Amino acid sequence: MTPAVPDPALPRPSLSAPHGALWCVAAAALGATRTPRARRAATRGLASLGLASLTVNALAKRTLRHVRPAPVPLIGQLKRRRTTTSFPSGQAAAAAAFATGVALESPAWGTVVAPVAASLALSRGHGGARFGSDVLTGAALGVGAAFAVRCMVPTRGQVAPPARPRAEVPALPDGEGLVLVANTAAGSAERARALRDALPRAEVVECEPGDVPAELEKAAARARVLGVCGGDGTVNAAARVALRFRLPLAVLPGGTLNHFAYDLGIEDVRDLARALRAGQAVRVDVGRYSCGEKHGVFLNTCSVGVYPELVRERERWSHRIGGWPAGVLAALRVLRADRHPLEAEFQGRTRPLWLLFAGSGTYHRMGLASGRRKDLADGQLDVRVVHGGRRPAIRLLAAALAGPLTRSPAHAAVQVGRLRLDHVAPGTLLAYDGEVIEVEGSVTLEKLPEALTVYRPIPSS
């Protein structure tokens, strides 16, 4: 093997990325765009880089000890020649891993990052630091690492639910007929205004959380299409109004998690505007809960047991210490060892339960990622139960790690269209789409098949 022909213009980029610093800066720049797809691309790129670095530096270099190329003429040499083994190139692996990881999540951002990564990888051979085979092998390992990360944590494009069953809805080329209510407390005002720029004849109403229900009622009375921008709780309120007025719903994610919008394949203004302009929509199932005179719907999940208590405890502390610290504190307080599980009659037997979770649609585990729904109109409630017993934290963790289709003395999972809990103690908390209420007596959960029409972009066949 002989080193590549020196090029004085290429060595410099290779010194700008010691230990992946360049890619950390690039990831920070992607994150600063504040778009979900760019943030995910940055995270995936860094995860791919980490796996590639581990593979190359901790395994390959310790096993395959190749000497570096002989010195090239002075003009093409790097100022500092490394003394580590040559094969494979860690810099090329890191560059290829980061660029491929970004491209797998966001092809648009991948085209921006790829030229920089290619320049840096090529500079390793032209600078006299690597043989050409070292660079090519390193790049191949980097690409392989990115695809390995995708196998462990699929991209959103891999788990998007099918665009069915199709629904007939009006096309709104300029937004006329759309009235969108934006919850300003969810930080959604900027997105709502961006939608107004994309669809200039759409009406956008910005309001505080307490005014959302009333504004949704007013909007539904004059709208052809009811729109909402906010988190899952706000979307839930809009779905109730849309069902009652029999209107199609347009959802623009504007909260923290946005499970329903993301499962629809809507991440930003461009996705929703494309669906509205083209008149593309589907019918989705809706879950319904009822307990005496209390009743409502859920688009994502409904649960009783420790999770609703965790939600309420987290909300109590989040304004004082922030969201993540509040979540940790809530988990420690709720899962303390001396508490007692909920007792309720389920499937004809009275049993102690740490948690009963019902998802509107079956959640599937894919790799290490949390469960995602592949079908929003499958007619099923995905019911998971964590039975009572000692050490609730261990039981809940075991159920989460085991996945949705396992059964054991500690947890079980079934898919049904309807279920009923009896003899629920007064003051028991029930959570639905992030909201919490108190229930007692009998609680019924059921599925309303294809009850709600929602705009979503239809992928081209």
Side-chain angles (χ1 to χ4, degrees):
M1 293 182 288
T2 59
V5 177
D7 185 341
L10 284 173
R12 191 172 302 277
S14 68
L15 294 180
S16 68
H19 306 294
L22 172 64
W23 305 122
C24 291
V25 173
L30 287 174
T33 63
R34 300 179 64 184
T35 62
R37 188 177 283 113
R39 288 197 298 264
R40 290 200 312 276
T43 302
R44 185 172 296 278
L46 290 177
S48 302
L49 184 153
L51 181 59
S53 298
L54 176 65
T55 303
V56 170
N57 296 318
L59 298 177
K61 285 183 178 293
R62 294 178 182 273
T63 305
L64 306 169
R65 296 184 176 275
H66 284 211
V67 297
R68 290 182 179 273
V72 299
L74 184 61
I75 190 173
Q77 289 187 29
L78 295 174
K79 293 182 180 179
R80 292 184 300 168
R81 292 184 59 80
R82 296 178 180 269
T83 58
T84 56
T85 57
S86 171
F87 182 84
S89 169
Q91 294 274 21
F98 184 84
T100 306
V102 169
L104 288 175
E105 190 69 60
S106 173
W109 281 111
T111 60
V112 175
V113 174
V116 180
S119 174
L120 190 147
L122 289 173
S123 72
R124 303 306 295 159
H126 285 74
R130 294 284 190 278
F131 293 108
S133 59
D134 302 340
V135 175
L136 291 175
T137 304
L141 288 173
V143 172
F147 277 91
V149 169
R150 191 178 71 163
C151 290
M152 292 185 285
V153 183
T155 62
R156 287 200 185 274
Q158 290 176 274
V159 294
R164 65 140 202 100
R166 301 282 184 93
E168 294 294 328
V169 292
L172 308 180
D174 56 4
E176 185 176 4
L178 169 68
V179 182
L180 183 137
V181 177
N183 180 354
T184 56
S188 58
E190 184 178 340
R191 290 194 174 192
R193 292 164 193 161
L195 180 69
R196 185 161 44 196
D197 293 338
L199 301 171
R201 302 197 68 174
E203 179 183 350
V204 175
V205 179
E206 299 178 24
C207 61
E208 295 296 322
D211 299 326
V212 166
E215 292 298 337
L216 286 169
E217 295 281 345
K218 295 176 185 176
R222 63 181 185 274
R224 294 179 68 198
V225 176
L226 180 63
V228 61
C229 182
D232 285 318
T234 305
V235 174
N236 180 288
R240 294 199 304 268
V241 176
L243 286 169
R244 194 165 66 255
F245 281 80
R246 298 184 179 180
L247 289 174
L249 183 65
V251 178
L252 180 61
T256 303
L257 299 177
N258 306 303
H259 290 300
F260 183 67
Y262 290 165
D263 283 346
L264 280 172
I266 298 175
E267 297 196 19
D268 52 32
V269 169
R270 290 175 299 175
D271 294 329
L272 181 59
R274 186 165 73 251
L276 286 164
R277 291 190 188 108
Q280 297 174 338
V282 295
R283 295 190 300 276
V284 300
D285 295 346
V286 174
R288 181 169 63 185
Y289 70 85
S290 58
C291 177
E293 296 182 355
K294 296 180 180 178
H295 55 86
V297 301
F298 57 97
L299 302 175
N300 299 307
T301 63
C302 184
S303 60
V304 295
V306 296
Y307 180 73
E309 297 179 29
L310 188 149
V311 171
R312 175 167 285 189
E313 194 71 22
R314 183 186 63 202
E315 292 300 316
R316 183 179 301 170
W317 290 94
S318 60
H319 299 296
R320 307 178 193 176
I321 62 176
W324 285 107
V328 173
L329 178 61
L332 293 175
R333 292 171 68 92
V334 168
L335 298 178
R336 61 186 184 275
D338 61 341
R339 60 180 291 107
H340 299 286
L342 162 74
E343 288 199 0
E345 184 178 324
F346 173 60
Q347 292 185 332
R349 291 178 53 191
T350 300
R351 2 175 147 215
L353 306 173
W354 285 119
L355 174 68
L356 186 144
F357 163 101
S360 180
T362 304
Y363 283 76
H364 299 267
R365 173 68 61 81
M366 300 186 69
L368 300 178
S370 57
R372 293 285 305 279
R373 290 174 289 185
K374 295 183 179 180
D375 192 345
L376 295 177
D378 64 1
Q380 298 293 308
L381 290 172
D382 187 5
V383 181
R384 322 242 185 117
V385 176
V386 179
H387 302 302
R390 299 179 59 189
R391 299 179 179 176
I394 295 177
R395 286 173 172 259
L396 291 163
L397 179 61
L401 294 177
L405 301 180
T406 59
R407 290 172 174 78
S408 78
H411 54 89
V414 294
Q415 283 74 48
V416 296
R418 187 177 187 273
L419 68 88
R420 176 170 170 157
L421 289 175
D422 290 312
H423 309 305
V424 176
T428 297
L429 299 181
L430 179 144
Y432 63 97
D433 291 348
E435 305 297 320
V436 179
I437 62 170
E438 292 187 359
V439 294
E440 63 177 291
S442 295
V443 178
T444 300
L445 306 180
E446 58 188 331
K447 203 71 179 288
L448 304 178
E450 302 180 16
L452 181 65
T453 297
V454 188
Y455 280 84
R456 63 155 294 181
I458 305 297
S460 58
S461 58

